[in-house]
Amino acid sequence: MKKKLFSFNIFLLLIVSACSPAPTNQNEYKIVYTNESSQQEEEKQQTKDYTIAIIPKVVNIPYFNAVEEGAREAGKDLGVEVIFKGPTIADSEQQIKIIANLIKNEEVDVIAVSANDPEKIVPILKKAQNHQIKVITWDADTLAEGREFFINMVNPETLGRHLMDTLAWNVDEQGEFAIMTGAKSAANLNEWLKWIQQHQEEYYPNMKLVEVSATDDDPNKAYLIAHQLIKDYPNLKGIIGNSSVGPPAAAQAVKEAGKTGKIAVVGLSPPNPMNEYLKDGSAQIITLWSPKKLGYLTVALSKNIVTGSLPYDNQEIPGVGKIRMIDDVVIMGEPIDFTKENVDQYDF
C-alpha cells in the first residue's frame, strides 16, 4: 500500500548546475548550491510521504557519489525517503538482485535505475510495475517498455560530437587515438561512442581510432588499460575517456609514462578527480554535467510521477531549472567543460 499523503513544507536549495561553454549561455545553467544546513531544514517534519529507490550502475566512484548526494538532498527538501543502492561492480545481474529485493522487502513507490544493460534488466522492471511501482531510468536507459521515461543528462549527439572536438583541438586534428569506455553493454556509453566515431569520420579524416577498451567502470582496470594503450601504441596522440573512471586513469598513466604534453587526455569526469591533472598538463579538457543536479532531478521527477504528474517540455523544476522533453526522454541541460583555468570554480 502506498503511504498516505501528509501536508509538508518544501524548501528547495539551489544546486550546482551545468553552464554551457558557449559565451551566450554562460549564465543559463549556473546555479550555486550549498551544503550548509539551516534552522528551517532542521525543523522539517520527519514523516516521509513516499519512498524512492535510486539504483546507480555502480557505487563508490566519485560520479555516483555526487549523484547520491544530490538525491539525498532532494529527499530532505521534498519530504521523501531515498534509498540509494547499487552494485559494487558495473553488473546487470547485481542490479537485478537489488531490484528484486526492493520489490520483495521494501515498500517503494518508485524505482529509478541507471541500467548496466538495456535489455537484461527489463523483466525485473516489468515485475516492479506489476507490483504498482513506478519505474523510470536515468543516466543510462533501458528498452522503452521497461520504464515510463528516461532522464538524460544532455543530448547524446551533442555530447559525443563535442568529446571528439575536444580531443581534435588538442592534437592538431591528426594522429592515433584510443577510447576508454565503461561497460560494453551500457546504452548511454554506446550512443556517445557512435557519435564520437561518426564525428571523427566526418570532420577529422587525419585522425585514426586504434582501439576502444572497456573498463567496466572499474578504476583499477581503467588504470591498467591506460598503461597498456600507451605501451601498445607508441604513436598514440590522445585518449578519450567515455566514462568517468577513464580520464583520471588515463591522465595518471600519461604522467607516469612521461608523456605529459605528448598524449592528450579528454573525456567525461567530475572536476575534483581531475583537478591536479588539468593543472599539471597530463589532461587537457574534461567534460561533464552536474551529477548532483542529476540526482536531485531524478528524485524530483520521481516524486512528481508518483503523484500523477509527468514531465513536459520547458518545465521549470525548482532547484534545477528548465528541462527539455523529447518524446519520452528528459534532457537535463548542457555539458560543462573543465580546464585548468576554471576547474577550481567547481566542487564535486
Side-chain angles (χ1 to χ4, degrees):
M1 292 181 65
K2 304 297 177 184
K3 300 173 184 156
K4 294 182 179 180
L5 179 63
F6 294 92
S7 60
F8 58 90
N9 294 323
I10 299 175
F11 296 94
L12 292 175
L13 302 176
L14 294 176
I15 65 173
V16 166
S17 170
C19 58
S20 170
T24 55
N25 292 327
Q26 283 180 342
N27 295 321
E28 186 175 354
Y29 297 99
K30 187 175 182 181
I31 302 177
V32 178
Y33 89 128
T34 177
N35 288 322
E36 295 179 2
S37 61
S38 66
Q39 183 68 28
Q40 288 179 323
E41 278 189 24
E42 294 172 359
E43 292 175 353
K44 285 181 181 177
Q45 65 182 48
Q46 298 301 310
T47 302
K48 305 296 184 182
D49 300 307
Y50 303 111
T51 299
I52 297 165
I54 309 293
I55 315 296
K57 287 181 184 175
V58 64
V59 293
N60 297 327
I61 65 173
Y63 176 80
F64 288 115
N65 290 344
V67 171
E68 180 179 6
E69 191 177 352
R72 294 200 181 281
E73 182 173 306
K76 292 178 182 178
D77 291 346
L78 303 176
V80 298
E81 181 180 351
V82 172
I83 297 173
F84 195 93
K85 291 184 179 180
T88 55
I89 59 173
D91 178 66
S92 59
E93 294 301 325
Q94 287 195 26
Q95 286 188 314
I96 290 168
K97 290 179 181 179
I98 290 169
I99 295 168
N101 184 64
L102 287 169
I103 295 170
K104 182 179 179 180
N105 298 318
E106 305 279 355
E107 291 187 1
V108 296
D109 298 284
V110 181
I111 290 175
V113 60
S114 172
N116 281 308
D117 188 290
E119 297 182 19
K120 289 182 180 179
I121 203 172
V122 169
I124 193 66
L125 296 181
K126 286 186 173 181
K127 182 177 180 180
Q129 291 172 321
N130 290 337
H131 281 74
Q132 307 306 309
I133 298 171
K134 300 290 186 181
V135 176
I136 66 173
T137 53
W138 57 278
D139 181 69
D141 201 8
T142 62
L143 299 179
E145 63 203 67
R147 47 63 173 175
E148 297 203 34
F149 58 84
F150 168 49
I151 304 173
N152 205 348
M153 298 71 66
V154 295
N155 181 290
E157 178 179 355
T158 299
L159 181 62
R161 289 182 181 275
H162 180 67
L163 291 176
M164 188 64 234
D165 280 337
T166 61
L167 180 62
W169 298 338
N170 285 281
V171 297
D172 297 324
E173 301 184 10
Q174 57 187 341
E176 297 179 352
F177 72 101
I179 300 174
M180 294 171 60
T181 189
K184 288 182 179 179
S185 59
N188 60 335
L189 304 184
N190 290 331
E191 185 73 5
W192 301 336
L193 277 172
K194 178 185 78 174
W195 290 112
I196 289 170
Q197 294 177 72
Q198 182 166 326
H199 198 60
Q200 181 265 311
E201 292 169 1
E202 291 175 357
Y203 293 97
Y204 303 113
N206 294 325
M207 297 182 68
K208 179 183 179 182
L209 176 60
V210 293
E211 187 172 327
V212 177
S213 297
T215 67
D216 296 321
D217 289 315
D218 181 331
N220 292 326
K221 184 176 180 179
Y223 174 75
L224 295 175
I225 285 173
H227 271 285
Q228 194 64 45
L229 288 171
I230 294 171
K231 180 180 177 181
D232 290 347
Y233 302 101
N235 296 320
L236 194 67
K237 297 298 181 184
I239 298 174
I240 299 175
N242 195 39
S243 77
S244 65
V245 302
Q252 183 65 29
V254 165
K255 190 174 181 178
E256 291 176 358
K259 296 285 188 177
T260 298
K262 297 178 181 179
I263 298 178
V265 174
V266 303
L268 300 172
S269 174
N272 286 353
M274 295 302 297
N275 189 297
E276 173 190 339
Y277 300 122
L278 289 168
K279 289 178 178 178
D280 68 22
S282 48
Q284 281 62 47
I285 298 177
I286 298 304
T287 303
L288 203 66
W289 42 89
S290 167
K292 188 163 184 180
K293 177 181 176 183
L294 176 61
Y296 198 104
L297 177 62
T298 299
V299 171
L301 294 185
S302 294
K303 182 185 176 183
N304 286 352
I305 194 174
V306 81
T307 59
S309 176
L310 290 170
Y312 55 89
D313 195 33
N314 286 319
Q315 182 179 4
E316 181 76 27
I317 304 298
V320 174
K322 286 187 178 181
I323 59 172
R324 299 303 311 274
M325 195 76 190
I326 302 174
D327 298 325
D328 60 355
V329 177
V330 175
I331 305 294
M332 183 175 73
E334 298 292 325
I336 316 170
D337 279 342
F338 310 107
T339 65
K340 63 182 179 181
E341 287 81 15
N342 72 351
V343 67
D344 285 337
Q345 299 175 24
Y346 301 91
D347 185 18
F348 62 89

